[in-house]
């Protein structure tokens, strides 16, 4: 292996990254850090680092990164790190020899006494990469279990017992694509199954750092099997849902860097009732160039307009069938509204035929969060409660409405109001009357696939509004969110009703006492209430919007929502803003949330004061136009011709500067590169482009809308699967939802998408659900997705006319 221009070790079919990434996610351990192995196109190992646990969990200690030194000429990469709380400094060095990589750990001084028998060098292997495979540990042999078994050692760290102990460990010796050899001369290697401790654990190879030793304290020889002349199979990225006859149809080929297109052709095959496949178009793909580690080419089959069932073929690669049809997007949003949103509903039992998704959970909501608390999941409570409630006092009335935030079970207010806003936007523009779900609040009962005579989207808007209005009833304003207080509850996988006893906590009772309404078990969720004007403005926006949608569906709630929003607006304007900020639970930028509130109030009331507020916020409009396009365009009928002219000028600048499209990748969308993948941004941009296409004909081509939707449906890097579960022929089946421990999905859920593993690996893992940054369902993205499908369908139907 040699150090390449991207500063990682490379051989045919094998790469080893050395601290190219640093726990890039919301928590300390996101399985993206340290030494990582990419073998034959798949990242199969990560977190090669000095850790203080045999099988670390996501909140366990990690070292602090200091620097990284790369000497490509000598074939060496060295990272310097330390544990400041233990005053422990070390470095990890990786060097290349003819036969293997040499990994060594170096320290300036012996281990601190408190780290003896705790600090060791770990390398973690993704379990799904080794299912149905074996290992050799010195003379012993074994197979990797599909599911963990065996006890945990009952020590203070609750570690699993080792699967094997050896000085020479070989993983998957029978499989050249996955074979890894690790040899240690001095310290034994322990092989653990971290899933014994936590379902998201990995297989871990670990050697302990010896006491009373400094300098080079540990050394491994690592051999990563690589197949000579290996090339990654081509991927034909395309829409798994299909295409409307009138739109452009472009597939993107993702090819190994060594692949030579030559005279190879891409063929579009039409599938006949007999099973025969007729090539209706064959031509050489057009070279696009390199993006990240792969090369790309495009195949344009826009000229084919005949309805039917098709496949794409390039050499030995052939896609799943997809359709060309005029009704291609008419039902693509149904699973999201029919199943995903009902499944996420909190405080109700959700039934689907023979299956109960979950019971009526969290009916004991909620206890006032204690002061000066930093919660492990990005919530915090400041030095006061900012409410009339004492710490850990029960706050009545919060046990209604709301959705489970994502793959978790909390009520994150920012997610709630953004989901409500997204659903109201769909109703405002398209008013879909689809009814497939029964919602009965008297029985706290929801039944999927059972119509009740009411539009489902209004019932979902109502459910989100109930959670938001409950906060104002209890506190006179919005709060940051509601979440379980301890990690043992937070890591809960299964029916949400089993997270708590559903009885309000009474501190005068013992844990074994209960009277049917109260108990002595402090398992109730906490409500975090430090004042944030940004969150309050976001809630005001959603309540204002919901009032429009709910006028005929639930007039009493609609009236209360609008009155509450207007009173909250006046209250917020009467004092300097509260700027409490922590994590991602305290709202967006203050002026952005304020603009959203003013816009929704104007759309619901027509009151002149909100026009004035929008004009006052013009610096926000100009500085962040791209973020607000949809809102700003919808205000044109209410704001007048002068306003429209200013928006049109900003829109022209936006298009002329190329901010509507990116030349950085062949997919014509912005692919973000943070620890959370970028489908939310891609959907938002595409919706905004829809409004520009409609408001300013000729300014922007409709492809700027379709490209975003097709990206979700499979025209993206890494694979060609749809990133919306159960939408498209081949879609996400392994995702980070409440059923992730079963390696399953929720129909209609939308995942974050393709994560860029620095420096150059696009990744969306379909074998391992626990990558939240790639695979976690989020309610507000799901709402925006419904809007985008309607927008694309509207443009295509308009063009057809």
């Amino acid at each position: 292996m040699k150090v390449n221009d991207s500063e990682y070790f490379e051989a045919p079919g094998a790469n080893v990254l050395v601290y190219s990434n640093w726990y890039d996610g919301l928590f300390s351990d996101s399985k993206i850090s340290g030494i990582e192995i990419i073998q034959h196109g798949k990242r199969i190992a990560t977190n090669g680092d000095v850790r203080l646990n045999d099988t670390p969990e996501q909140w366990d200690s990690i070292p602090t990164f200091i620097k990284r030194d790369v000497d490509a000429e000598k074939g060496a990469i060295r990272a310097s790190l330390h544990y400041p709380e233990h005053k422990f400094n070390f470095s990890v060095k990786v060097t290349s020899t003819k036969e293997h990589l040499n990994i060594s750990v170096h320290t300036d001084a012996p281990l601190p006494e408190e780290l003896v028998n705790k600090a060791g060098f770990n390398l973690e292997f993704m379990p799904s990469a080794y299912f149905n495979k074996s290992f050799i540990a010195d003379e012993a042999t074994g197979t990797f279990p599909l599911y963990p078994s065996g006890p945990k050692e009952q020590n203070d760290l609750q570690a699993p017992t080792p699967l094997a102990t050896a000085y020479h460990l070989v993983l998957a010796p029978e499989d050249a694509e996955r074979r890894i050899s690790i040899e240690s001369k001095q310290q034994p290697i322990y092989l653990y199954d971290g899933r014994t401790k936590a379902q998201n654990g990995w297989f871990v190879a670990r050697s302990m750092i010896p006491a009373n030793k400094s300098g080079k304290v540990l050394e491994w020889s690592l051999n990563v099997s690589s197949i000579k002349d290996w090339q990654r199979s081509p991927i034909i990225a395309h829409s798994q849902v299909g295409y409307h006859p009138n739109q452009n149809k472009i597939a993107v080929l993702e090819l190994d860097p060594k692949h030579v297109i030559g005279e190879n052709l891409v063929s579009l095959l039409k599938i006949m009732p007999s099973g025969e496949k007729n090539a209706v178009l064959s031509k050489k793909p057009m070279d696009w160039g390199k993006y990240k580690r792969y090369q790309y080419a495009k195949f344009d089959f826009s000229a084919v307009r005949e309805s039917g069932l098709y496949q794409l073929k390039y050499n030995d690669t052939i896609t799943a069938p997809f359709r060309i049809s005029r009704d291609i997007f008419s039902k693509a949003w149904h699973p999201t509204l029919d199943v995903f949103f009902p499944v996420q509903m909190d405080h109700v039992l959700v039934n689907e035929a023979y299956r109960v998704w979950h019971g009526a959970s969290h009916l004991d909501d909620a206890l006032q969060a204690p002061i000066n608390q930093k919660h492990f999941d990005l919530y915090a409570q400041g030095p006061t409660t900012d409410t009339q409630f004492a710490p850990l006092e029960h706050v009545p009335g919060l046990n209604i409405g709301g959705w489970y935030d994502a793959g978790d079970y909390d009520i994150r207010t920012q997610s709630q109001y953004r989901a409500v806003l997204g659903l109201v936007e769909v109703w405002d523009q398209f008013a879909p009357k689809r009814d497939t779900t029964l919602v009965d609040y008297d029985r706290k009962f929801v039944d999927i696939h059972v119509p009740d005579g009411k539009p489902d989207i209004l019932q979902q808007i109502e459910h989100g509004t109930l959670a938001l209005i409950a906060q104002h009833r209890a506190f006179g304003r919005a709060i940051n969110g509601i979440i379980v207080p301890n990690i043992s509850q937070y890591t809960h996988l299964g029916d949400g009703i089993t997270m708590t006893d559903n009885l309000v906590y009474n501190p005068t009772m013992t844990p074994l006492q209960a009277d049917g309404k109260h108990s002595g078990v402090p398992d109730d969720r906490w409500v975090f209430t430090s004042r944030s004007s940004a969150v309050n403005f976001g809630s005001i926006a959603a309540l204002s919007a919901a009032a429009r949608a709910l006028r005929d569906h639930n007039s009493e709630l609609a009236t209360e929502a609008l009155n509450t929003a207007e009173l909250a607006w006046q209250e917020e304007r009467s004092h300097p803003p509260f700027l409490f900020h922590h994590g991602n639970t305290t709202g967006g930028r203050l002026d952005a949330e304020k603009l959203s509130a003013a816009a929704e109030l104007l759309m619901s009331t027509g009151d002149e004061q909100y026009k004035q507020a929008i004009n006052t916020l013009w610096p926000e409009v100009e500085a962040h136009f791209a973020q607000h396009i949809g809102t700003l365009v919808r205000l044109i009928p209410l704001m007048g011709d002068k306003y429209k002219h200013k928006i049109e000028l900003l829109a022209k600048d936006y298009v002329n500067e190329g901010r509507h499209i990116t030349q950085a990748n062949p997919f014509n969308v912005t692919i973000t590169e943070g620890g959370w993948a970028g489908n939310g941004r891609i959907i938002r941009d595409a919706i905004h482009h829809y409004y520009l296409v409609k408001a300013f004909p000729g300014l922007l081509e409709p492809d700027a809308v379709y490209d975003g939707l097709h990206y979700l449906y499979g025209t993206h890097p890494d694979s060609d699967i749809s990133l919306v579960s159960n939408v498209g022929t081949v879609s996400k089946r392994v995702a980070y939802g409440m059923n992730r421990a079963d390696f399953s999905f929720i129909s209609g859920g939308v995942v974050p998408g393709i994560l860029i593993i620095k420096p150059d690996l696009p990744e969306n893992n379909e074998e391992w659900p626990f990558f939240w940054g790639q695979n976690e369902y989020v309610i507000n993205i799901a709402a925006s997705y419904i809007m985008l499908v309607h927008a694309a369908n509207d443009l295509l139907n308009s063009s057809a006319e």
Side-chain angles (χ1 to χ4, degrees):
M1 283 192 165
K2 295 183 178 180
V3 178
N4 64 16
D5 292 341
S6 297
E7 298 190 340
Y8 58 78
F9 291 96
E10 182 175 29
N15 314 140
V16 175
L17 314 184
V18 181
Y19 292 86
S20 297
N21 297 282
W22 184 249
Y23 300 105
D24 196 1
L26 298 177
F27 303 103
S28 61
D29 183 1
S30 56
K31 305 299 183 190
I32 306 175
S33 187
I35 294 174
E36 304 180 84
I37 300 173
I38 301 166
Q39 193 177 30
H40 303 109
K42 294 287 187 180
R43 188 170 62 102
I44 53 92
T46 190
N47 287 8
D49 199 358
V50 172
R51 300 295 298 272
L52 309 184
N53 306 80
D54 294 340
T55 58
E57 296 180 89
Q58 62 192 45
W59 296 277
D60 287 331
S61 296
I62 60 171
T64 299
F65 180 80
I66 299 173
K67 65 175 182 175
R68 177 175 180 263
D69 298 302
V70 179
D71 189 333
E73 187 175 336
K74 293 183 178 179
I77 303 176
R78 186 176 192 133
S80 301
L81 309 98
H82 72 141
Y83 281 95
E85 65 272 33
H86 301 291
K87 298 181 180 179
F88 173 49
N89 300 311
F90 67 93
S91 63
V92 177
K93 185 178 181 181
V94 182
T95 56
S96 178
T97 72
K98 288 184 178 181
E99 301 298 327
H100 57 259
L101 287 180
N102 190 72
I103 302 174
S104 54
V105 178
H106 304 256
T107 66
D108 296 333
L111 273 179
E113 186 175 350
E114 68 269 22
L115 296 187
V116 174
N117 296 323
K118 289 187 177 181
F121 184 80
N122 292 16
L123 185 57
E124 303 188 29
F125 295 87
M126 186 167 63
S128 58
Y130 291 91
F131 290 159
N132 306 315
K133 301 189 189 302
S134 67
F135 62 83
I136 298 174
D138 290 342
E139 303 302 320
T141 59
T143 57
F144 287 100
L146 189 65
Y147 197 84
S149 61
K152 292 183 289 188
E153 294 176 354
Q154 296 303 307
N155 55 31
D156 60 334
L157 297 180
Q158 287 282 296
T161 55
L163 292 175
T165 303
Y167 287 90
H168 185 198
L169 178 66
V170 183
L171 312 184
E174 75 282 9
D175 184 353
E177 283 205 352
R178 290 291 172 263
R179 184 167 60 248
I180 301 285
S181 171
I182 307 172
E183 191 166 4
S184 174
K185 297 294 186 183
Q186 292 83 26
Q187 298 295 110
I189 304 166
Y190 301 93
L191 178 64
Y192 294 99
D193 186 346
R195 299 171 303 158
T196 306
K197 185 177 179 182
Q199 275 81 3
N200 62 353
W202 289 31
F203 296 126
V204 181
R206 173 174 169 87
S207 289
M208 302 303 295
I209 294 177
N212 302 317
K213 188 176 180 181
S214 60
K216 184 191 292 185
V217 295
L218 186 68
E219 189 171 16
W220 279 4
S221 295
L222 174 70
N223 190 296
V224 181
S225 170
S226 64
I227 298 173
K228 184 180 180 181
D229 300 325
W230 177 87
Q231 288 192 28
R232 184 171 179 261
S233 297
I235 289 170
I236 308 174
H238 69 289
S239 170
Q240 293 283 350
V241 170
Y243 304 85
H244 191 283
N246 294 346
Q247 70 173 126
N248 289 333
K249 309 170 192 72
I250 299 173
V252 179
L253 277 69
E254 185 174 83
L255 305 167
D256 188 273
K258 297 185 293 294
H259 181 88
V260 178
I261 294 176
E263 298 304 314
N264 294 330
L265 304 180
V266 181
S267 296
L268 178 68
L269 311 176
K270 186 172 184 183
I271 305 172
M272 309 307 292
S274 65
E276 183 182 0
K277 298 178 181 180
N278 297 333
V280 297
L281 180 67
S282 294
K283 62 181 179 180
K284 184 177 177 180
M286 184 171 60
D287 180 67
W288 183 88
K290 185 180 180 184
Y291 168 64
K292 300 302 179 183
R293 63 172 50 204
Y294 302 123
Q295 60 171 318
Y296 292 86
K298 292 189 174 186
F299 173 70
D300 189 336
F301 56 106
S302 303
V304 178
R305 297 166 58 90
E306 184 178 358
S307 295
L309 202 60
Y310 294 87
Q311 290 176 292
L312 290 163
K313 184 177 187 299
Y314 177 74
N315 292 352
D316 294 331
T317 300
I318 187 166
T319 69
F322 59 88
R323 296 192 303 140
I324 295 178
S325 174
R326 291 185 177 276
D327 68 346
I328 198 69
F329 300 128
S330 62
K331 299 179 181 179
W333 55 279
H334 289 179
T336 306
L337 186 62
D338 293 1
V339 181
F340 177 73
F341 267 104
V343 167
Q344 298 299 111
M345 294 171 75
D346 202 352
H347 302 118
V348 290
L349 183 149
V350 180
N351 183 73
E352 183 183 15
Y354 295 172
R355 176 184 197 172
V356 174
W357 279 92
H358 60 78
S361 58
H362 307 111
L363 299 182
D364 48 4
D365 278 341
L367 302 181
Q368 170 67 59
I371 62 173
N372 297 317
Q373 284 282 328
K374 284 191 177 180
H375 190 271
F376 47 83
D377 191 31
L378 304 175
Y379 291 84
Q381 186 66 44
T384 70
T385 66
D386 284 336
T387 72
Q388 68 271 38
F389 298 96
L392 297 183
E393 180 181 354
H394 176 69
V395 179
L398 298 179
N399 57 352
I400 58 171
W403 302 279
Y404 298 149
D405 172 43
D408 307 322
Y409 297 84
D410 54 319
I411 300 287
R412 177 178 176 260
T413 299
Q414 189 172 341
S415 298
Q416 305 293 313
Y417 64 66
R418 288 183 176 172
V420 169
L421 286 168
L423 293 172
V424 172
E425 186 176 358
V426 177
W427 180 258
D428 278 349
Q429 301 300 316
F430 305 106
K433 304 296 196 304
R434 183 169 177 78
D435 171 26
T436 69
T437 305
L438 181 148
V439 179
D440 186 337
Y441 284 114
D442 291 334
R443 292 193 293 156
K444 294 181 172 57
F445 179 73
V446 171
D447 209 0
I448 296 173
H449 311 308
V450 179
D452 63 359
K454 302 173 184 178
D456 291 342
I457 195 166
L458 292 183
Q459 291 180 307
Q460 291 301 324
I461 293 168
E462 178 182 34
H463 197 69
T465 303
L466 286 170
L468 296 176
I469 203 72
Q471 298 177 7
H472 287 265
R473 291 168 182 168
F475 306 109
R477 58 179 173 82
I479 50 85
N480 303 321
I482 304 171
I483 191 168
V484 291
N486 60 68
I487 288 177
S488 64
Q489 288 176 284
Y490 179 78
T491 55
H492 172 92
L493 294 175
D495 193 332
I497 198 173
T498 59
M499 294 185 77
T500 78
D501 60 12
N502 262 354
L503 303 175
V504 173
Y505 173 58
N506 183 340
T508 68
M509 290 181 169
T510 70
L512 297 179
Q513 290 181 309
D515 61 10
K517 294 183 178 180
H518 303 85
S519 81
V521 181
D523 59 6
D524 307 28
R525 292 195 292 196
W526 287 356
V527 53
F528 285 82
T529 57
S530 291
R531 296 196 67 163
S532 164
S533 291
V535 163
N536 207 27
F537 279 122
S539 178
I540 290 168
L543 290 173
S544 305
R548 296 195 301 274
L550 298 176
R551 279 175 185 146
D552 296 327
H553 174 76
N554 185 336
S555 60
E556 184 177 344
L557 181 60
T559 299
E560 182 184 6
L562 187 55
N563 290 342
T564 298
E566 292 200 277
L567 288 172
W569 171 268
Q570 295 301 331
E571 198 280 331
E572 276 292 348
R573 304 276 285 180
S574 69
H575 56 74
F578 292 96
L579 301 177
F580 181 81
H581 179 74
H582 183 78
N584 65 359
T585 60
T586 47
R589 290 190 328 278
L590 178 63
D591 281 353
E593 301 285 20
K594 190 184 297 184
L595 177 63
S596 177
E600 297 298 340
L601 282 164
L602 177 59
M603 285 188 271
S604 292
T605 68
D607 194 316
E608 187 70 24
Q609 65 170 313
Y610 304 120
K611 289 186 182 181
Q612 296 173 6
I614 292 164
N615 289 328
T616 301
L617 288 164
W618 199 254
E620 168 68 22
V621 172
E622 292 185 315
H624 301 283
F625 176 73
Q627 179 180 333
H628 301 296
I629 289 172
T631 298
L632 296 171
V633 170
R634 284 185 290 147
L635 290 175
I636 287 174
L638 298 168
M639 293 290 291
D641 290 342
K642 185 177 180 180
Y643 170 89
K644 180 179 180 180
H645 178 66
K646 292 196 294 184
I647 295 300
E648 186 172 14
L649 290 177
L650 289 172
K652 287 179 177 178
D653 287 344
Y654 171 78
V655 173
N656 291 337
E657 292 169 9
R659 286 185 282 160
H660 66 293
I661 195 170
T662 177
Q663 302 299 324
N665 66 69
F667 303 99
N668 300 331
V669 300
T670 299
I671 300 176
T672 58
E673 298 191 13
W676 188 271
N679 278 353
R681 165 71 182 272
I682 290 166
I683 294 170
R684 186 202 75 182
D685 287 352
I687 292 171
H688 288 176
H689 296 156
Y690 163 76
Y691 285 112
L692 292 179
V693 170
K694 296 285 282 189
F696 306 111
L699 178 64
L700 199 60
E701 292 298 319
D703 282 346
V705 181
Y706 309 144
D707 286 340
L709 190 57
H710 288 318
Y711 185 92
L712 294 181
Y713 289 158
T715 313
H716 54 64
D718 183 56
S719 74
D720 65 350
I721 68 168
S722 168
L723 300 170
V724 187
S725 291
N726 194 35
V727 175
T729 313
V730 181
S731 68
K732 285 296 295 184
R733 297 180 64 177
V734 177
Y736 192 104
M738 68 179 68
N739 52 357
R740 59 188 176 274
D742 300 315
F743 282 57
S744 193
F745 69 98
I746 303 172
S747 177
V750 186
V751 300
I754 311 303
L755 193 70
I756 303 300
I757 307 298
K758 296 178 181 65
D760 62 4
L761 178 71
E763 179 180 88
N764 181 274
N765 193 286
E766 181 62 358
E767 301 172 0
W768 190 250
F770 298 100
F771 290 119
W772 61 79
Q774 305 172 26
N775 285 336
E776 184 170 9
Y777 297 132
V778 183
I779 55 173
N780 52 297
I781 291 180
S784 297
Y785 163 73
I786 295 174
M787 175 63 197
L788 178 55
V789 178
H790 277 86
N793 206 35
D794 178 56
L795 290 179
L796 288 164
N797 289 337
S798 298
S799 66
E801 294 170 1

